[in-house]
Amino acid sequence: MSCYIAAYGFISALGEGRDASAEALLAWQAEGSTPLTRHNQTLLDGRLTPVGRVEGALPEIPAALAPYASRNNRLLLAVLAQIRPALDKALAEFGPARVGLVLGTSTAGIGEAELAIAAARRGEAIPPAFDYRQQELGSPSEFLARYLDISGPAYTLSTACSSSARAFISGQRMLAAGLVDAVIVGGADSLCGLTINGFDSLESLSGTLCQPFDNGRQGINIGEGAALFLLSRTPAPLALLGAGESSDAWHISAPHPDGVGAEAAMQMALAQAGVTPEQVGYINLHGTATRLNDAMESHAVHRLFGDKVPCSSTKPLTGHTLGAAGAIEAALACLLLERALPLPPQRVTTVDPALASIRLVSGATRLAAPRVLSNSFAFGGNNVSLLFGLSPS
């Protein structure tokens, strides 16, 4: 069943909303300009690493919902404003009990907890604004459901870097089962010391701008952001055509070296949509710039698509936004479809010769077919692929 996209919005280091993000994509295509070079985060040992920080003021959390006052939830409010007209229309048509909500996150309000713990360690009082509920993984969906006063099913998923991509699958199933008439899906993650230093301890963090699929790649850059989509059965120009999921059951943090789970998720998405590999116009790769992920993804893509379908990773533009990555990259996929923008190039100095042959985007390349596959692969071998396209006529 196709899920139609009634509205979508997003915020990341690229900017707030479609116009700012489109301008940043064009700047990357023309000049190699990326907002990821604007901000650095200091690691525990004093080294610096680039981060994808959202700039500008964010909406404040209403006083009545103060226990949920986290940066994560403020990012969600910024994005909510972008889909609010379509959402209000759905609420008026279907009622608050028939609108669902599924979000993904991996950090929730950990940043606020870090500040509280730091104050306690200094012998100071915990900041009065801190509330334990800010850091609970269920906080984003609980907050947004209360903010919107909706009473349909509402919950949060946390499957690391596939969290918000998996939210689409849950939303799709809700609609197919007739549990709701519309569902908000997406996710949010904000920068915090725990994740940044955690990835550094795994030796997966780059001290310079990340270079997916480059022979000299050193690892990821962390970013932050949020994206929200309103899905329904009502026809609209954009649609989620198919979705696939799999579990490697291989290792707690490393992907299966051959990418068998990644390939299975992509195959499932294509099969659900009734689409052949040749009918895909572009693949937004997970492309974290770690040695293991890029290697396995190249082999999985090559087995299914060969070197025929243009593909690239947008991580050098947004940073890896972890639990929000699937939804933010889904929004970028929809933006490419909606505005027929040039595809984001993969800027590499030397492609790693150990990778399988895939068609990394270079130069001015545009969609040859109105379908974009977006990959999200997470710790624990939790794989999701989403296929977006222009609605069937």
Side-chain angles (χ1 to χ4, degrees):
M1 183 197 82
S2 291
C3 288
Y4 295 99
I5 298 169
Y8 72 98
F10 63 116
I11 188 171
S12 71
L14 280 175
E16 183 172 353
R18 303 183 202 184
D19 291 342
S21 300
E23 288 176 13
L25 284 172
L26 290 172
W28 176 245
Q29 200 280 333
E31 310 159 9
S33 174
T34 169
L36 226 66
T37 58
R38 295 178 194 153
H39 300 284
N40 287 301
Q41 179 101 357
T42 303
L43 301 171
L44 290 175
D45 63 2
R47 289 178 294 122
L48 297 177
T49 182
V51 292
R53 189 181 303 280
V54 169
E55 297 180 332
L58 296 173
E60 294 295 334
I61 303 296
L65 295 171
Y68 302 99
S70 66
R71 183 169 176 82
N72 249 36
N73 291 339
R74 294 175 69 198
L75 288 166
L76 285 172
L77 279 189
V79 175
L80 179 64
Q82 299 174 42
I83 70 165
R84 195 62 194 259
L87 176 58
D88 287 344
K89 181 180 178 182
L91 286 168
E93 181 178 356
F94 305 125
R98 297 292 299 171
V99 176
L101 172 65
V102 189
L103 300 179
T105 191
S106 69
T107 64
I110 291 176
E112 285 71 24
E114 288 176 346
L115 295 175
I117 291 169
R121 292 186 67 180
R122 293 191 301 266
E124 302 171 2
I126 290 177
F130 174 71
D131 190 289
Y132 181 83
R133 283 168 285 187
Q134 292 165 345
Q135 68 181 28
E136 291 184 324
L137 289 173
S139 173
S141 55
E142 189 173 334
F143 160 70
L144 210 55
R146 294 191 177 194
Y147 182 85
L148 293 169
D149 196 27
I150 61 176
S151 51
Y155 57 92
T156 305
L157 295 168
S158 189
T159 55
C161 306
S162 64
S163 300
S164 58
R166 190 165 289 282
F168 281 86
I169 297 177
S170 293
Q172 182 190 55
R173 288 173 177 162
M174 276 190 195
L175 287 168
L179 295 175
V180 294
D181 295 305
V183 56
I184 306 162
V185 301
D189 256 344
S190 47
L191 292 169
C192 62
L194 176 67
T195 50
I196 293 172
N197 288 287
F199 275 98
D200 186 48
S201 71
L202 292 173
E203 299 181 345
S204 297
L205 201 65
S206 178
T208 58
L209 180 66
C210 67
Q211 294 179 284
F213 305 99
D214 192 279
N215 192 40
R217 66 191 185 279
Q218 300 174 9
I220 69 177
N221 302 138
I222 303 294
E224 66 177 357
L228 292 174
F229 289 70
L230 181 63
L231 305 181
S232 78
R233 290 184 290 268
T234 304
L238 292 170
L240 171 63
L241 302 177
E245 57 184 337
S246 68
S247 172
D248 288 354
W250 175 259
H251 188 275
I252 193 170
S253 60
H256 190 287
D258 296 327
V260 292
E263 183 182 4
M266 290 187 284
Q267 285 179 323
M268 188 183 299
L270 296 180
Q272 189 181 92
V275 167
T276 65
E278 296 76 20
Q279 292 175 303
V280 174
Y282 169 68
I283 306 170
N284 185 300
L285 301 167
H286 188 57
T288 59
T290 59
R291 306 304 297 186
L292 296 178
N293 178 86
D294 289 6
M296 77 84 183
E297 189 170 16
S298 73
H299 287 281
V301 169
H302 177 78
R303 288 194 298 270
L304 197 53
F305 297 94
D307 59 0
K308 306 300 182 186
V309 178
C311 52
S312 63
S313 166
T314 49
K315 298 293 194 297
L317 289 163
T318 61
H320 190 350
T321 56
L322 306 178
I328 288 173
E329 290 169 25
L332 291 174
C334 289
L335 192 66
L336 293 173
L337 288 161
E338 191 176 47
R339 301 202 176 184
L341 297 170
L343 301 178
Q346 198 72 75
R347 298 187 178 276
V348 295
T349 303
T350 305
V351 176
D352 185 348
L355 304 182
S357 177
I358 56 177
R359 186 183 166 189
L360 294 174
V361 175
S362 62
T365 305
R366 294 183 183 272
L367 282 172
R371 299 170 197 89
V372 174
L373 188 71
S374 186
N375 287 337
S376 298
F377 306 135
F379 279 177
N382 198 303
N383 308 301
V384 177
S385 288
L386 304 173
L387 184 66
F388 296 94
L390 300 179
S391 301
S393 55

